[in-house]
Structure formats: structure tokens, C-alpha cells
Amino acid sequence: MSEQSLNDIDVTARVLGAAFYYAPDQVPDIIELLISSKWVEDWPYGSVEQKQAITEKMTKAQRDDETLDEAYQRLFIGPYALPSPPWGSVWLDKENVLFGESTLQLREWMQRNKIDIQLTQNEPEDHFGLLLMMTAWVAEHCPDKLTELLAQHILPWGFAYLNKMQEKGDSPFYVGLAELAQLTLAAWQETLNIVADKKIIFYR
């Protein structure tokens, strides 16, 4: 793969990963970038029309009764049931649990390939945002493992998660973010010619 292709994956994975993982007030520069149209010209994936449609959605006002930080709380923290849970094992485990078998498989893969992410608390490594940031790290430090990470641990459930976020997110910014992530993930898959592992999606 070319250095430019790896750099494109690295940069876009960092931006998307941070936007999915961190509360908006923790990454104000990234939020400001995404709700502007400044990213459209430089984003390497998708047509201009697709990206303009996404940015129009992301720049729409939030619901009158909800700030962007409140939308993040509702979609990623709770206390109520999350419309689209961001952890892989919720989608891939029969019991829809955290720290399920797929999380343990990811953890073993990380240990085998000496990939260590610094978590500030005891949380599953298969959070969608964390996985995208891990994608950026792998693209930079061990690109030969990029296909494995995507094929085994992200693609099998990532599109289902993003589809549900678009369907149930009820936040213009996060619905647009899910659309951008879906477009980008599809481009990575095509660029790397990846056939995703077939796994059953249990979460509905």
C-alpha cells in the first residue's frame, strides 16, 4: 500500500475515532472542524456531493431540548438504553454483553501483536471510537496488521452499528458522523481489498 493511502487512513481514523470516543467538550477542535465545511475538500473518500450532504446534516442545529454534549451522553453513556451501543461484543455476543468473547479475541490479538492502548479506566477495548484510533496507530506503526484488525474486529459489526446510529441516533451531528464513518470504512475496505470475517450480529 502506498504511503499516501496509509496516511489517509491514519488521519481520517484519528479524527473519526476521537469524535466517536470523546465527549464534544474534550475535543473541541475536531468538533469545530466537522461542523464546518473545511474538511470536505481534504477528506480523501467519497464524492463532493456525498460529503456536502453529510456536512449539511452535521451543521444543522441540534434538537431544541438537547445540546451536543447531551446528545453524546444519551448516545454513548446513558443512563437509559443506548440507541446504538458502540461496543463490538454487544453486537456479536448472544447475550449482548460487554467484555464478551469478541472483546477477549481482540485483546488476545492486541497482545499477540504488542499493541497497547492506554485506557484510563476498566473499559472494553472494542469501543468503536477506540478501534478507529487503534486503526490509526496500526496504520502508522505496523501497517501489515491493518487488514487483520479491520477484517476480524471492526468490519464484522461496524456497518451494523453505524446503520443503527443513523436510524436511531436522533442527533444531526452524530447521524452525519455515522454516515461519514460508514463512507470512510467502506473506502478502507475497498482500498485494502478486505473480505470481512463472517460473524453473526445478535443485537437488533
Side-chain angles (χ1 to χ4, degrees):
M1 188 192 312
S2 71
E3 186 174 335
Q4 184 61 55
S5 294
L6 284 172
N7 184 67
D8 288 344
I9 292 173
D10 183 359
V11 172
T12 55
R14 287 181 192 282
V15 170
L16 291 172
F20 274 97
Y21 184 68
Y22 294 108
D25 62 356
Q26 293 180 286
V27 285
D29 292 347
I30 286 176
I31 300 300
E32 183 179 348
L33 172 69
L34 290 171
I35 62 175
S36 74
S37 58
K38 296 175 184 175
W39 62 271
V40 171
E41 184 176 348
D42 294 327
W43 202 264
Y45 313 116
S47 68
V48 173
E49 291 76 20
Q50 286 174 310
K51 291 182 284 187
Q52 285 177 339
I54 290 170
T55 198
E56 285 172 13
K57 189 166 292 180
M58 295 174 81
T59 56
K60 279 184 181 177
Q62 298 299 301
R63 293 176 359 190
D64 291 340
D65 62 337
E66 185 177 65
T67 66
L68 196 55
D69 285 295
E70 289 168 342
Y72 175 86
Q73 178 79 25
R74 174 174 58 82
L75 294 169
F76 295 95
I77 307 296
Y80 305 111
L82 305 185
S84 185
W87 302 279
S89 67
V90 175
W91 294 84
L92 299 174
D93 191 285
K94 282 184 179 181
E95 304 301 322
N96 308 133
V97 296
L98 297 178
F99 295 104
E101 182 62 30
S102 63
T103 313
L104 301 180
Q105 290 170 359
L106 171 64
R107 192 173 289 174
E108 289 170 3
W109 182 86
M110 291 169 62
Q111 291 172 347
R112 196 163 60 245
N113 291 291
K114 298 180 173 54
I115 296 169
D116 182 27
I117 55 175
Q118 301 298 317
L119 299 176
T120 57
Q121 54 192 351
N122 182 29
E123 61 180 323
E125 293 90 339
D126 60 348
H127 185 290
F128 187 74
L130 275 177
L131 284 169
L132 293 186
M133 290 189 284
M134 194 187 305
T135 298
W137 190 92
V138 170
E140 184 175 349
H141 295 95
C142 47
D144 58 312
K145 297 299 179 183
L146 198 51
T147 292
E148 281 184 21
L149 174 59
L150 289 163
Q152 297 173 15
H153 303 291
I154 301 178
L155 291 173
W157 67 278
F159 288 120
Y161 162 68
L162 294 170
N163 284 334
K164 183 72 77 173
M165 177 67 84
Q166 292 171 57
E167 179 187 345
K168 301 288 188 181
D170 195 26
S171 161
F173 176 81
Y174 284 106
V175 169
L177 183 67
E179 289 183 11
L180 181 59
Q182 187 174 50
L183 183 154
T184 302
L185 205 56
W188 294 347
Q189 185 173 14
E190 182 178 358
T191 299
L192 297 171
N193 194 26
I194 297 173
V195 177
D197 287 10
K198 293 189 184 302
K199 297 184 181 180
I200 300 172
I201 298 293
F202 288 101
Y203 185 82
R204 300 297 178 194

